[in-house]
Amino acid sequence: PAHARATSLAVASAPPAPAPAAPRHTPADHAGCAEVPHPLALRERGIEGLVQLRVQVGSDGRARQVQLLGSSGWRLFDEAALAKARSCRFRPAFEGDTAVESWVEFPVRFALTQS
């Protein structure tokens, strides 16, 4: 008697389609901003400081909002850093080829000697 043989067919399937690539994200950058001048009254007294800023950068590279995240403890340092950030032209963040609004955080260091 003939026995039927069960055969399994391997079905060739196409590999899954690759997921669409997420747009390349480039964060905003403050590197093009000029250095903040050391306030003369504090320089003459040999005082150094560090101010931590948070800036909302528009798609046009202009500061929309400037926030003091960390004070140096010296009003002159804080005010100089805030004023410079408000007037600085930033490189905006990009999603793919499109400039977008974003936030950037960075320190402003007031040192008597540059390292």
Side-chain angles (χ1 to χ4, degrees):
H3 292 351
R5 286 188 172 173
T7 58
S8 64
L9 296 176
V11 178
S13 62
R24 188 180 76 259
H25 177 76
T26 307
D29 188 4
H30 71 284
C33 298
E35 194 171 305
V36 181
H38 200 117
L40 187 57
L42 296 176
R43 176 181 286 286
E44 288 175 344
R45 293 170 56 194
I47 298 171
E48 298 181 326
L50 177 68
V51 178
Q52 189 70 30
L53 297 179
R54 182 171 191 248
V55 179
Q56 183 182 33
V57 179
S59 60
D60 61 357
R62 295 184 191 273
R64 298 278 186 254
Q65 293 183 54
V66 180
Q67 300 173 349
L68 184 65
L69 279 186
S71 172
S72 65
W74 296 93
R75 182 182 51 81
L76 290 175
F77 284 150
D78 296 350
E79 288 175 355
L82 289 165
K84 190 60 159 180
R86 286 184 190 107
S87 67
C88 179
R89 287 298 296 244
F90 294 82
R91 190 194 75 222
F94 280 84
E95 291 293 338
D97 294 330
T98 305
V100 295
E101 191 171 277
S102 69
W103 288 89
V104 62
E105 295 179 9
F106 58 94
V108 177
R109 200 171 305 280
F110 294 92
L112 296 171
T113 57
Q114 300 300 323
S115 52

